[in-house]
Amino acid sequence: MEQRFKTSGQDIDLLMQRCPGIVDLLDLQDIASFLNVHPNTISKIRRDITFDSR
């Protein structure tokens, strides 16, 4: 069993690496629930990634 000593951002990055199209298939609410974080956390990280890539 894998130990989880990661930040929410690292969990989201890992999920996106393993399942790149998941945000197109699931609502952010579902992804947040799976990662055990608040949906606002997912939105903030997604916004940071979007603005960093500009």
Side-chain angles (χ1 to χ4, degrees), residues 24-42:
D24 297 328
L25 300 173
L26 299 174
D27 294 329
L28 287 182
Q29 179 76 29
D30 296 329
I31 296 170
S33 177
F34 175 75
L35 294 173
N36 198 27
V37 297
H38 196 274
N40 289 346
T41 303
I42 302 282

Side-chain angles (χ1 to χ4, degrees), residues 4-54:
R4 292 181 43 132
F5 294 108
K6 297 178 255 182
T7 65
S8 299
Q10 290 170 329
D11 284 341
I12 294 167
D13 287 342
L14 183 60
L15 179 65
M16 294 301 294
Q17 288 174 9
R18 290 184 179 174
C19 308
I22 198 161
V23 294
D24 297 328
L25 300 173
L26 299 174
D27 294 329
L28 287 182
Q29 179 76 29
D30 296 329
I31 296 170
S33 177
F34 175 75
L35 294 173
N36 198 27
V37 297
H38 196 274
N40 289 346
T41 303
I42 302 282
S43 295
K44 287 178 187 177
I45 292 170
R46 185 176 63 171
R47 183 180 62 231
D48 291 345
I49 291 169
T50 301
F51 287 124
D52 285 346
S53 65
R54 286 185 181 180

